Amino acid sequence: MSHEARHWAWSLADLPTSARLLLLALAEHVREGTTCFPGQARLATMCGISERQVRNLLRELQVRGLITVEHRAGQGGGRRSNLYRLAMG
């Protein structure tokens, strides 16, 4: 986990609780730099919310400019978890 990412997420006082919780869950997955790629099911479990709520909150975090999302294609046309970049700097 990145202590910098976690500290940054805690510093955003104007976020609704559920959005901050999701941002903290993302920060827990950052190992180096500002990127991570946890699955939405894992994020939902960590936050105690539904996958639909995760998707809605991810959109909210994007609109606020706090994260960017990169879709990653899997082999054979499959899907992989998205890559999330925290806008810490």
Side-chain angles (χ1 to χ4, degrees):
M1 116 193 66
S2 167
H3 295 288
E4 294 84 15
R6 192 174 56 196
H7 178 73
W8 172 75
W10 276 115
S11 73
L12 301 170
D14 64 333
L15 277 179
T17 303
S18 54
R20 184 186 307 199
L21 183 60
L22 181 60
L23 194 57
L24 284 163
L26 289 169
E28 286 292 323
H29 287 87
V30 172
R31 296 294 172 242
E32 290 183 22
T34 62
T35 60
C36 61
F37 42 89
Q40 291 179 0
R42 173 144 177 84
L43 292 170
T45 299
M46 288 179 75
C47 297
I49 59 178
S50 70
E51 288 185 53
R52 178 178 288 213
Q53 286 174 297
V54 167
R55 288 189 292 276
N56 290 338
L57 290 169
L58 288 170
R59 276 192 295 279
E60 180 179 343
L61 292 173
Q62 280 184 280
V63 167
R64 289 175 176 259
L66 298 173
I67 65 169
T68 56
V69 180
E70 181 181 318
H71 302 284
R72 302 184 314 149
Q75 294 184 4
R79 289 194 44 129
R80 294 171 58 189
S81 61
N82 293 330
L83 180 122
Y84 303 100
R85 181 167 281 109
L86 307 184
M88 294 169 39

